[in-house]
Structure formats: C-alpha cells, structure tokens
Amino acid sequence: MTPMSSPLHPSETTNPDQPFLSLITGSFSTPAGGNPTVAMVEAAYRDLGLAARYVNCEVSTSALADAVRGAAAMGWAGFNCSLPHKVAVIEHLDDLSPAARIIGAVNCVVIRHGRLTGENTDGKGFVEALRRAQDPAGASMVVLGAGGAARAIAVESALAGAATVTIVARHLAAASALAHRVAEQTGAATSALPWEPGMPVPAADILVNATSVGMHPDGEAVVDIDLDSLDPATLVADVIANPPRSRLIREAELRGCRTIDGLGMLVAQAVVAIELWTGCTPDPAVMRTELERIFSV
Ligand code: NDP
C-alpha cells in the first residue's frame, strides 16, 4: 500500500547542526477530524525540503489553555486555531498583529523566543484568492454572514480598497456591529441588512458567502437567497472548502457568474501562515493539487 504522505527524512533538514529536530506546527480545533489542512501543509513542507511537521490536534474548549502552553513549552513554531478557538485563544497570547486586532479573531499563532503573537491570515488569504479573479479595489461587495470568516473578509477587503461593503446577517445587530467596525477601522463605506429568507441578492460586483451554509456534511445546502436574482456580472465567492464545488458555486455558474471556491482561500491563508512560521514561501500549486487529490476534484 502506498503511504498517504511519506514522513520527512532527517536528511531533508535545513539545519545540519540539529539533524533530528523537526520544526513543529499544527492546528487546535474541535472537531478536527475533517480538517484537510495537515495534508496541504505537509505537502508544502515536503516540496520545500523542510524538516517540518504539522500536527492536527483535537483540542476541546477546556483544554485550549493547556494546549497553547504545551506548544510554547515544546518549542513549536506556531499553530492554527480553527473553530471554536479563534476568539478564545486571544487571552492566552502575548500580542496581536494589527489585522488580528482589527478583526478581533486569530487563526494563526506565531511563537518566537517564547512569545506568542496572534495573526489573522483568513482575510489575507481570501483577498489573495480574490485578486486572481478580480481586484477588490473600488469594488462593491456583499458579505453574507457576520461570524469569524465574515469579519476577516470584510476587514481585509476594505483594507484592500473595496469601495463599499454590505453585511447581510440573520441578526441585524451582528451585521451592524461588523459594518460599524469595518467603517471605523478602514474608512470604507459600509452598510448592514437583515437577512430575509429568499431575499434578492443586493446588487454588487462581488458576493461572498461567509456563512457555514453548504459545509460538509450538509454539502447540498445553499444560502437562502433568490439565486435567480443573481446578476451574471457578479463574481460569487464561497468560503466553503469542503465540498469545494459547493452548491452555491454550481448554481452561480449555471447563471453565468464567475466563481471562486473555498480552496483558493484555504491555500492562500496557509501560504501566509507557512511564511510566518518558517520564513519560506511555499508553492500554492503543490498545496492546491494535494487538496484536489483529497477531494477528487
Ligand atoms: P462562525 O460560526 O463564526 O460564523 C458562521 C456565520 O454563518 C454566522 O454569521 C452565522 O449566523 C452564519 N450562518 C450559519 N448558518 C446560517 C444560515 N442557515 N443562514 C444564514 N446564516 C447562517 O464561523 P466562521 O465564520 O469561522 O466559519 C464560517 C465558514 O467559513 C465555515 O464553514 C468555515 O469552514 C469556513 N472557513 C473557510 C476558510 C477557508 O479558508 N476556505 C477559512 C475560514 C473559515 P448566525 O450568527 O445568525 O448563526
């Protein structure tokens, strides 16, 4: 049987003085079992020839503090935080990057000389993936959802020059709070709308699903908007990475829209994280290929 991923050989180390010591990174989340990041990141490490590992850890809310202390004690270079730890981890860190401070959530922690700095690479990853299809500068954007991913996307898109950002969420208070935060921190023009079931899609250059609707195992679910009101000129982006061809992506393409799937954001946010942890720039094509192999895209 062919192994899923061959472990790094010690001869691949970049530090000949410490041939048997790997650089350790990983992820803390729950549930962790369906998160494909480990395969993508280790494919990048192998391609770079780095003696580095990424460990996907199931970490409960009550174990988060110990997990963070453990990573620092073992000399990890850093770790990702995913659901539900992106906000809770902040109280265990020494510092926040400017973006993480504005967004109010951390998905990537860098450990240097025992100091833990919280970063947010989700929004940067989204903007990087978006730029391959369309420059957000000057664009009008509608973001569905007001959770962690929506916050990161709205803030970084506004910092990248989006002209207007409209937040649509089931709880108007959450949408308004995010719209206010983005306007205050970035100077972009923002607005908030309550999510009415079956509502027409507000006119925009870019529509982003930043909710968890359509995520595995509910892969056939789709956001409750009137898809027939989609303008074919609108670029539709989905944060859902599993399944990559979400129903929203398929429905939007059927209506003539250009689309961006969640794999682009997943790869691009990990590229930034790997640069922060290792100082090396990985090849995004290698990472995307590994994800496509896993998902048989
Ligand atoms: P959060 O729990 O912080 O936010 C989820 C958001 O989705 C909330 O605004 C929630 O609204 C909304 N929502 C959930 N169900 C519905 C529904 N039926 N109708 C309308 N809105 C709904 O999660 P995150 O923001 O951290 O993650 C969201 C998704 O983004 C996840 O699927 C995650 O996997 C994905 N993601 C993908 C990344 C990538 O690289 N591709 C990176 C980061 C996240 P309410 O508050 O009303 O419940």
Side-chain angles (χ1 to χ4, degrees):
M1 199 170 80
T2 312
M4 284 280 288
S5 60
S6 54
L8 287 160
H9 189 275
S11 66
E12 290 171 331
T13 184
T14 52
N15 185 351
D17 295 335
Q18 306 196 64
F20 302 107
L21 200 56
S22 299
L23 179 139
I24 309 289
T25 58
S27 174
F28 299 159
S29 70
T30 185
N35 187 341
T37 301
V38 55
M40 167 181 71
V41 172
E42 291 219 323
Y45 288 164
R46 282 195 299 279
D47 184 61
L48 285 166
L50 288 177
R53 301 308 306 255
Y54 186 97
V55 189
N56 188 27
C57 304
E58 178 76 36
V59 175
S60 67
T61 303
S62 61
L64 180 63
D66 286 342
V68 173
R69 266 197 300 276
M74 289 185 282
W76 285 30
F79 53 88
N80 284 130
C81 274
S82 197
L83 287 173
H85 304 316
K86 288 184 182 181
V87 174
V89 74
I90 290 175
E91 66 175 284
H92 306 298
L93 306 179
D94 298 305
D95 206 357
L96 294 179
S97 71
R101 202 176 294 282
I102 295 175
I103 293 163
V106 164
N107 77 318
C108 175
V109 173
V110 179
I111 308 175
R112 269 194 205 117
H113 311 299
R115 274 189 73 78
L116 291 91
T117 303
E119 306 271 352
N120 194 306
T121 66
D122 278 337
K124 290 183 183 71
F126 173 80
V127 169
E128 171 68 27
L130 175 63
R131 278 206 175 105
R132 274 180 237 129
Q134 181 164 340
D135 191 340
S140 55
M141 183 177 263
V142 170
V143 177
L144 303 176
R151 275 202 251 178
I153 287 168
V155 166
E156 292 287 356
S157 299
L159 290 174
T164 63
V165 180
T166 301
I167 312 294
V168 182
R170 292 191 290 197
H171 301 286
L172 182 58
S176 299
L178 175 54
H180 182 71
R181 189 181 189 113
V182 173
E184 195 179 57
Q185 302 282 348
T186 70
T190 65
S191 57
L193 289 175
W195 192 321
E196 308 289 354
M199 67 191 285
V201 180
D205 298 320
I206 302 164
L207 172 73
V208 188
N209 172 36
T211 75
S212 45
V213 178
M215 186 171 74
H216 173 82
D218 295 318
E220 274 307 300
V222 68
V223 279
D224 193 356
I225 52 176
D226 178 9
L227 294 168
D228 287 328
S229 69
L230 264 175
D231 182 340
T234 297
L235 176 74
V236 177
D238 201 344
V239 292
I240 302 300
N242 182 10
R245 300 253 328 136
S246 67
R247 185 158 155 221
L248 175 63
I249 292 288
R250 287 181 278 125
E251 298 278 358
E253 287 176 357
L254 276 176
R255 289 161 177 82
C257 299
R258 290 177 303 141
T259 60
I260 303 176
D261 65 30
L263 292 188
M265 176 180 174
L266 192 64
V267 169
Q269 59 81 27
V271 166
V272 181
I274 291 171
E275 285 174 341
L276 288 167
W277 294 327
T278 71
C280 299
T281 300
D283 182 351
V286 167
M287 297 159 76
R288 171 116 196 169
T289 301
E290 181 63 12
L291 289 173
E292 288 177 352
R293 189 187 66 76
I294 290 168
F295 290 118
S296 307
V297 177

